[in-house]
Amino acid sequence: MSRAEMDNLGWDSCDIILVTGDAYVDHPSFGMALIGRLLEAQGFRVGIISQPDWRSAAAFRTLGKPNLYFGVTAGNMDSMVNRYTADRKLRSDDAYTPDAQAGLRPDHSATVYAQRCREAYPGSVVVMGSIEASLRRIAHYDYWSDTVRRSALADAKADLLVYGNAERALVELSHRLALGESIETIRDLRGTAYLASRGAHLERGWVELDSTDFDLPRRIDPIQSPYEDLTPVAVDPQARVARGVALQRMERVAQRRAERAHTVVRLPSYEAVREDRVLYAHASRSFHLESNPGNARAIVQAHGERDVWLNPPPLPLTTPELDAVYALPFQRQPHPSYGKARIPAYEMIRFSVSIMRGCFGGCTFCSITEHEGRIIQSRSEESILREVEEIRDRTPGFTGIISDLGGPSANMYRLGCRDPEVERSCRRLSCLYPGVCENLDTNHAPLINLYRKARSLPGIKKVLIGSGLRYDLAVRAPDYVRELTTHHVGGYLKIAPEHTESGPLSAMMKPGIGDYEKFKELFERFSRAAGKEQYLIPYFIAAHPGTSLDDMVNLALWLKRSGFRLDQVQTFLPTPMALATTMYHSQRNPLRPVRRDSLPVESERTGRGRRLHKAFLRYHDPANWPVLREALKKIGRADLIGPGKRHLIPAHQPAGFVMPGASGGAHAATRGKAPGGGAAYGGGNGGGRTRGEAGRIVRGAQTVRAPLSKDTARAPAGAASTASAAQRQRPAAATGAASAARATPAGKRAGGAPVRGGKPRR
C-alpha cells in the first residue's frame, strides 16, 4: 500500500496495481484482497491503492506506474448504493471505511478512478471490474439521476471490463500481458467487455442477430431450448433408424452450438433505449436471456460510433478452483496502517465463512445473478472446515461462535440441476419460480453434514446461520429445518417473504405466502421440540413494481393479524440492471416478450407515493396515522379506521403526541411503546438492541434480559434505516437490490434504536 512497503519487499515497481473504493481488509470476503492474493500466487507483484483522493491524480501515482495494468474497482458495493439511500439522500456513514467515515469515495467510483489512472499515467492499461462495473456493463437505468446512462466502459474509457466471477479471466489476462501480448488483441476472454469500432466483428466472421427481429414482434410463446431439434423427421421408424437419427441429432446439436459460438445479439443502441422505454425493457429482457454460460451468445450494443462488445459470461469455477482461491494466505484482518480504527463491514464478516457463490432464485429486485451467475459454485467440506479452524486460531477476539456459514442464500449449498445437459440449454430466469423446477436437486443432506462437522470442531461453541434463507426450498427438506432450528439459530432467523399479495410477488418472482406459513409451522414445531423460544424475522419490500395501494393495505392487515410491528423499513431501491429496475423505469414487464401494447406494470415513482407505501409497513407508528387515514379514505377503505381489533389504525392521535419536526420533539407519546400502552416495539437483529445495551424480551409482565449480539451496530436513535438489501439479507458483496423491512413480533421484544444487519457481498 506504500512505497515504504515496496522498499521492504525489494520491489522497484508493481506489476499490477489495484485501486479500490474500500479500506484494504485482507479477507476473502473483500474482492480486492481476493484478487490481490490470487495474482500474487501467480507470481505477480501487486500493489493496492485504497480509497484514494480522487480530486487529483496525485494519489494514483503513489506506487508508480504498473508494469502491466491498473485494476479499478468501486469496492464491494456499487458506489451509488453505498453513498445514497432509497430517498436519494446522502448516507451518514460508510461501512467499508475506517470508523465508518462517509465521503471518502466519489459517485460512480469505478469510472472516476479509471479516468484518474489515465491522467496519472497516460498510456497505461486500465481494467475495471467488480460489482459496479459488472452491473453497469451495458446501457442502464441510474435511479439517482433518473436517467439511462451509458455503459461504464464507455464513460471510463477503460481498455477492458471484467464482469462476474473474474478469477479465471484475470489470471489469463495477466499472463498474456506479461508475455508481451497487446491489450488490443485480447478479445476472446469470457466475462469481459471492450469497446470496438462499429461492425468490426462482421469482419471476423461473426453472424449478427438483431434482438428486435426475433423477440419484439412475435406472439408470446414458451421459450425453446436453443439446442432442441425442430427438424421434421420421417414417420417411418425403419427409415429413422436407417438414417441414424440419434447420431444426426447429436451432429445438429453440435452444429447449433458452433453457430451460437460465433453469433452475436445486437441490442438496441444506447441512444435508442435512452429515448424509448419499451426498447429499454426489450433490451433488458434480451440481455437476461443470454445469461446462462452454457448457451449464452455474445452481445453488442452501439454507443455512438462505437460498439460495446460483451463476451459470454464466465464458466462457473469448479470446486477445486474455488477451494484454491480460499486457501490463499489471507491475513484475515484490516491493513495495519488503520491502527485501531473500526471497519464495520469487517466486523460483520470476520467470524463468518462463505461456502458458495451464485443464486438460482432469480428474484427480480436482486442483482446477484447478473454478477455471480445462476449456477451454484460450492466449496468442499474440507476447505470450509479449514477456514473455520483458521478463524478459531488466527482471528483476534474470537469467542467460539461462527456467525455464518452461508452465501447469497443460506441453503443452496451443492444444489443444482440434476442433468448437466439440461442445465447447459436452460433459459429459465429462475429455478424456483413459478415453482421449484423438477430438474432441481433439492437434497440438503450435504449441508446438514457440513453443519454437524463444523459445530463438532474443537473450540467451536456454536455455528449460527446469518444468511437469508430460501424457505420454499427448506420446506422440501424438513430434516434440514430441524437441524437448523435445533442447533443454528441464535434466537432469531432472517427470512424474506417480501410481500403477501400475488401482484407484487409475481413481479418479484417470489413464492406465495403459503410457503412462508408452511416454513413457519415447521420452525415453531422444531423450536418447541428443542425447548427453545425462537422467532422468525421476516423482510418485506415497500413500493416494489407491481404493487398497488390495495396490496399495501392487505400486507399491513396481514402484519397486524400476525402480530408483527416493523421497525427498520425502506422502500424498493432500483439498482442497475435488475429486472425490477427495468419495470420501475419502463413500466413494462421484461419477464415476457415486450410489445408496445403490453399492459403497463404499476410502479410508484413519486417520493410522496413511495413514502406512503412505506408508511403502511409501519402502520403502528402514530407519526404515520395522518397520511394513512387520508389514503384509506381516498381508496374507499375508511372502514379500517377506528379503535377495534378489526381496524388498522385509530381515528385519533394519542394524547400528547407531537408530530416529528414540530416544536416539542418527535413522538412525545413515548417512543418504545406501542399505541395504547401496549408492548414496546424494537429493531431487527437482536430485537432492536444497540451496541452497549442489553436487549429486552417482554413476556407478559416479566422483563428478561437477553444477551447482546456482538455483530449489532448502533444507529442514531430515531433515525431512519439506510441499510440496503445488500446489507441485510444476502451475505457477500452488496447488491443493494431491494429495500427491506425488519419485523418485530409484537409483545415479544422491546426496544432500542434500529440496527443495521447483514453481511457485505463481494
Side-chain angles (χ1 to χ4, degrees):
M1 284 185 67
S2 68
R3 280 283 187 177
E5 290 176 343
M6 290 174 62
D7 292 339
N8 288 338
L9 290 168
W11 295 2
D12 58 349
S13 62
C14 293
D15 296 318
I16 300 160
I17 296 177
L18 304 180
V19 181
T20 176
D22 294 341
Y24 175 33
V25 179
D26 194 29
H27 188 285
S29 287
F30 286 73
M32 97 293 293
L34 189 147
I35 293 301
R37 289 296 183 189
L38 175 67
L39 295 174
E40 176 194 45
Q42 295 291 318
F44 297 103
R45 295 176 295 184
V46 183
I48 292 181
I49 299 178
S50 172
Q51 298 186 316
D53 183 352
W54 71 93
R55 286 173 282 267
S56 75
F60 296 81
R61 300 189 183 101
T62 302
L63 303 180
K65 182 179 180 179
N67 300 325
L68 299 180
Y69 61 87
F70 280 105
V72 172
T73 165
N76 275 20
M77 291 180 67
D78 182 278
S79 59
M80 302 303 289
V81 176
N82 180 284
R83 284 173 51 78
Y84 296 93
T85 71
D87 295 326
R88 298 189 176 101
K89 296 178 180 178
L90 273 171
R91 298 189 191 276
S92 59
D93 57 10
D94 183 341
Y96 292 88
T97 300
D99 290 328
Q101 183 180 351
L104 295 188
R105 72 182 82 215
D107 291 356
H108 304 288
S109 296
T111 298
V112 174
Y113 291 160
Q115 293 168 344
R116 286 294 188 227
C117 288
R118 285 267 193 243
E119 183 180 346
Y121 293 104
S124 57
V125 175
V126 177
V127 179
M128 62 193 308
S130 196
I131 189 79
E132 180 170 301
S134 190
L135 298 185
R136 297 175 182 269
R137 58 189 185 263
I138 62 170
H140 56 279
Y141 174 72
D142 181 76
Y143 168 70
W144 296 271
S145 61
D146 194 24
T147 61
V148 175
R149 289 178 60 95
R150 301 195 302 171
S151 164
L153 182 64
D155 283 339
K157 302 295 192 296
D159 295 285
L160 202 68
L161 183 151
V162 183
Y163 68 88
N165 298 300
E167 288 92 343
R168 197 181 285 121
L170 282 175
V171 167
E172 182 173 349
L173 171 69
S174 302
H175 282 295
R176 288 170 68 172
L177 289 174
L179 290 172
E181 190 169 348
S182 169
I183 187 68
E184 287 81 11
T185 64
I186 302 177
R187 295 293 183 251
D188 57 343
L189 294 179
R190 276 181 168 268
T192 63
Y194 56 89
L195 287 168
S197 57
R198 289 286 296 272
H201 57 282
L202 297 176
E203 300 173 4
R204 307 200 312 266
W206 286 77
V207 176
E208 180 179 301
L209 294 180
D210 190 320
S211 63
T212 59
D213 288 343
F214 63 83
D215 193 13
L216 192 64
R218 286 187 169 186
R219 65 181 186 279
I220 300 175
D221 290 329
I223 297 173
Q224 298 287 342
S225 163
Y227 308 127
E228 184 176 347
D229 182 14
L230 301 178
T231 305
V233 180
V235 179
D236 181 6
Q238 292 182 349
R240 295 171 65 180
V241 172
R243 287 199 301 268
V245 169
L247 181 59
Q248 291 182 19
R249 182 182 182 280
M250 292 174 61
E251 292 174 348
R252 283 193 292 269
V253 168
Q255 181 181 356
R256 286 193 177 93
R257 284 189 175 136
E259 291 173 353
R260 290 178 71 84
H262 288 85
T263 300
V264 60
V265 176
R266 178 169 290 280
L267 301 181
S269 69
Y270 156 69
E271 291 79 11
V273 300
R274 180 188 60 191
E275 303 299 331
D276 190 330
R277 297 189 181 192
V278 173
L279 281 181
Y280 182 93
H282 160 76
S284 174
R285 170 179 167 79
S286 300
F287 170 84
H288 282 86
L289 288 177
E290 303 297 335
S291 60
N292 182 347
N295 61 50
R297 294 168 286 199
I299 291 175
V300 65
Q301 185 179 48
H303 284 59
E305 296 302 316
R306 307 193 76 187
D307 280 338
V308 172
W309 177 282
L310 272 66
N311 285 323
L315 296 173
L317 295 179
T318 64
T319 294
E321 287 176 325
L322 207 56
D323 287 353
V325 169
Y326 283 88
L328 295 169
F330 300 99
Q331 298 302 297
R332 309 190 67 84
Q333 296 183 54
H335 190 272
S337 63
Y338 300 124
K340 295 183 179 180
R342 178 175 172 269
I343 301 174
Y346 168 68
E347 298 292 328
M348 294 176 193
I349 54 84
R350 63 176 175 158
F351 303 135
S352 68
V353 180
S354 295
I355 65 175
M356 46 154 286
R357 292 184 188 174
C359 180
F360 49 70
C363 300
T364 61
F365 53 79
C366 179
S367 301
I368 291 173
T369 298
E370 287 84 350
H371 184 55
E372 293 192 2
R374 191 166 290 109
I375 298 173
I376 301 301
Q377 303 158 75
S378 300
R379 295 168 63 185
S380 68
E381 275 187 359
E382 294 77 12
S383 172
I384 295 165
L385 297 177
R386 189 183 309 115
E387 185 171 349
V388 172
E389 291 175 327
E390 285 189 6
I391 293 173
R392 177 197 63 193
D393 299 337
R394 298 177 53 197
T395 304
F398 183 62
T399 61
I401 299 175
I402 297 295
S403 60
D404 189 26
L405 294 180
S409 289
N411 58 324
M412 288 187 182
Y413 180 68
R414 291 196 181 178
L415 302 188
C417 192
R418 291 189 176 93
D419 187 337
E421 189 62 28
V422 171
E423 183 178 73
R424 288 182 65 184
S425 62
C426 181
R427 287 165 70 83
R428 282 183 60 162
L429 297 178
S430 170
C431 300
L432 302 180
Y433 184 85
V436 177
C437 177
E438 61 183 11
N439 290 313
L440 183 66
D441 179 7
T442 60
N443 180 19
H444 283 57
L447 189 54
I448 293 173
N449 292 334
L450 175 63
Y451 287 176
R452 290 173 177 172
K453 291 181 180 180
R455 69 173 185 261
S456 67
L457 290 173
I460 302 301
K461 299 176 183 178
K462 196 172 187 63
V463 176
L464 299 175
I465 302 304
S467 301
L469 188 79
R470 282 301 300 223
Y471 56 85
D472 47 348
L473 280 175
V475 295
R476 302 167 77 92
D479 288 345
Y480 170 74
V481 182
R482 181 188 293 110
E483 190 79 16
L484 177 75
T485 306
T486 304
H487 299 286
H488 301 283
V489 176
Y492 308 108
L493 179 68
K494 293 184 290 186
I495 195 170
E498 312 294 10
H499 217 284
T500 59
E501 305 306 295
S502 60
L505 287 173
S506 63
M508 298 173 187
M509 289 210 295
K510 290 284 288 186
I513 199 66
D515 282 336
Y516 166 81
E517 300 290 354
K518 293 176 185 176
F519 180 82
K520 181 173 180 288
E521 189 276 326
L522 288 173
F523 179 83
E524 292 176 347
R525 172 158 42 103
F526 292 137
S527 293
R528 288 193 300 269
K532 296 184 175 183
E533 185 174 1
Q534 301 180 143
Y535 306 102
L536 293 176
I537 305 298
Y539 291 105
F540 298 91
I541 296 178
H544 190 280
T547 306
S548 66
L549 268 185
D550 286 335
D551 291 328
M552 294 307 299
V553 170
N554 291 335
L555 173 54
L557 291 171
W558 183 90
L559 291 170
K560 185 173 183 180
R561 288 195 304 270
S562 301
F564 286 119
R565 290 174 175 177
L566 309 185
D567 186 73
Q568 188 168 312
V569 176
Q570 267 196 323
T571 48
F572 165 69
L573 175 58
T575 53
M577 209 173 288
L579 286 162
T581 301
T582 298
M583 298 179 196
Y584 175 89
H585 169 63
S586 70
Q587 310 289 294
R588 298 295 191 278
N589 188 349
L591 299 179
R592 54 181 65 94
V594 179
R595 300 160 69 172
R596 298 205 175 273
D597 58 353
S598 299
L599 292 176
V601 176
E602 188 169 5
S603 186
E604 182 54 69
R605 294 175 55 86
T606 67
R608 177 182 175 86
R610 285 162 62 82
R611 288 190 293 272
L612 177 58
H613 279 230
K614 180 177 174 179
F616 273 107
L617 287 177
R618 285 183 49 80
Y619 66 90
H620 54 278
D621 187 344
N624 291 327
W625 292 350
V627 294
L628 292 180
R629 290 189 198 104
E630 179 184 351
L632 289 171
K633 292 174 183 177
K634 188 174 181 179
I635 64 175
R637 296 304 308 270
D639 59 299
L640 296 177
I641 304 172
K645 289 185 177 181
R646 67 182 181 85
H647 297 114
L648 182 63
I649 57 172
H652 305 286
Q653 297 296 107
F657 179 82
V658 178
M659 288 296 292
S663 61
H667 289 239
T670 68
R671 167 72 176 167
K673 286 190 176 181
Y681 56 91
N685 252 355
R689 300 189 291 268
T690 58
R691 184 173 294 277
E693 301 172 341
R696 293 182 299 163
I697 301 176
V698 181
R699 302 191 186 108
Q702 193 176 27
T703 300
V704 181
R705 289 284 170 180
L708 174 66
S709 166
K710 288 184 177 295
D711 290 324
T712 55
R714 181 180 297 276
S721 164
T722 59
S724 70
Q727 294 169 300
R728 53 94 173 168
Q729 178 188 346
R730 298 176 174 87
T735 63
S739 305
R742 179 170 283 137
T744 301
K748 295 294 183 185
R749 293 184 287 148
V755 180
R756 297 191 181 103
K759 288 172 49 182
R761 289 192 43 71
R762 182 163 48 263

